[in-house]
Amino acid sequence: MATVIQTDTARPRRRRLLGEHVPMEGESGLYTQSWFPICMSADIGLGEVKGFPFLGGRVIAFRGTDGTAQVTSAYCSHLGADISVGKVVGNHVQCPYHMWEFNREGICQKTGSGDPAPRRASLFAFPTQEKHGLIWAFNGEEPWFAIPDWPFPDADILTDTQEFPVPMNIDPWIICAQTPDIQHLLYLHKFDLKGPNPEGNVAWTDHSMFYDMDGLWGSRRMTIRAGIVGTSIFFQTGTLDGRWFGFMTAMGLPAPSQSRLFSVFAAERTEDEAEVRAFLEEARLHEVAIAMEDSAIGQTIHFRVGSLTRADATLARFLDYVRRFPRAHPSAEFID
């Protein structure tokens, strides 16, 4: 008797085609070496210290009496007390437990008992910069690129810095990936291009990508240059209905798969400051409305690289950019 082999032709076997893996933040204990905002400048007054989550651990930001802000690891190298409940003494930060004092380089300068400070007693001092109304920390020993500047001197512009109303439960670079995802701009946001598709003219460096775009969103004309710097900064300059404005989204990284978002808007100064402030608010509401179209997707997406098509060429190059981005975690033993 012949053997009959039955096949289910109605349900063909499916093969999943996944693209090359892109490392997530915190994978293998490493994070991209980018600038990340820790808090707003206004959060840290003169002589104040506060604690914040960062890279899955805890850091402090403090401002000395000379007005300079610094970000360091939070836990005292003596017995691990959280220095965020301590205080600022001059330009040092003091642990509340045994009154050890640390300078902005993280080096212990004195102990409460008067004993000499142990040579290894230190905090991790992050490269810190205060810019665009934010206090930033760089994940690394030395920054290898700069936070971008507006195309006008600071004295000639007004800015408005706020925290975005919707945090995201994904890594900052995944939010950044929306910018090189040209299909997403055209189909989800429904930009009506009045110039060429930006797909064909993208400028890349080892730490950034930018393109020009001219189009309508709703009834508003936007002629802009937009892009990504590092893995945590969306940066845009251009015009809204013919008037210049700047827009930046800065993404903090409290922990893997978490992003704390800040927005910065800039406009040229005039003698009528109230009118400029009104324009900044108008531009902010316009950009927030666009961003809110991504909100539900950002909160629910399980990001993984699947089968890409020719229309994904710029996105695919950005994913390669993220794969190649330097990764490290030199503060790990200090902040965990």
Side-chain angles (χ1 to χ4, degrees), residues 23-83:
M24 297 295 179
E25 296 289 8
E27 191 170 317
S28 301
L30 303 177
Y31 296 84
T32 51
Q33 293 200 268
S34 191
W35 285 101
F36 296 97
I38 300 299
C39 61
M40 293 175 58
S41 295
D43 291 336
I44 309 296
L46 200 66
E48 283 190 334
V49 56
K50 293 182 181 177
F52 300 92
F54 184 45
L55 305 180
R58 187 163 175 81
V59 300
I60 56 171
F62 69 95
R63 191 184 300 279
T65 54
D66 65 358
T68 301
Q70 178 65 46
V71 177
T72 72
S73 53
Y75 300 117
C76 182
S77 56
H78 182 206
L79 293 177
D82 186 344
I83 303 177

Side-chain angles (χ1 to χ4, degrees), residues 11 43 78 110-111 135 173 236 243 259 288 330:
R11 300 181 65 183
D43 291 336
H78 182 206
K110 62 183 294 188
T111 65
I135 297 173
W173 70 261
Q236 172 185 303
R243 182 171 181 174
S259 294
V288 167

Side-chain angles (χ1 to χ4, degrees), residues 78-152:
H78 182 206
L79 293 177
D82 186 344
I83 303 177
S84 70
V85 297
K87 65 180 182 179
V88 174
V89 179
N91 293 320
H92 298 168
V93 66
Q94 185 186 80
C95 175
Y97 205 9
H98 298 92
M99 313 308 165
W100 286 27
E101 289 184 18
F102 299 85
N103 65 15
R104 278 196 286 264
E105 288 71 44
I107 300 170
C108 185
Q109 299 294 290
K110 62 183 294 188
T111 65
S113 67
D115 289 343
R119 291 179 60 187
R120 290 175 56 85
S122 63
L123 309 175
F124 186 90
F126 290 86
T128 303
Q129 189 168 1
E130 191 162 8
K131 195 179 186 71
H132 304 310
L134 297 167
I135 297 173
W136 306 73
F138 186 84
N139 173 35
E141 300 281 356
E142 294 289 341
W144 61 281
F145 64 90
I147 299 167
D149 287 307
W150 304 121
F152 300 99

Side-chain angles (χ1 to χ4, degrees), residues 259-277:
S259 294
R260 185 182 178 194
L261 282 69
F262 301 88
S263 66
V264 184
F265 288 87
E268 291 184 89
R269 286 183 180 273
T270 71
E271 294 182 357
D272 190 346
E273 181 173 331
E275 189 277 334
V276 178
R277 294 289 181 192

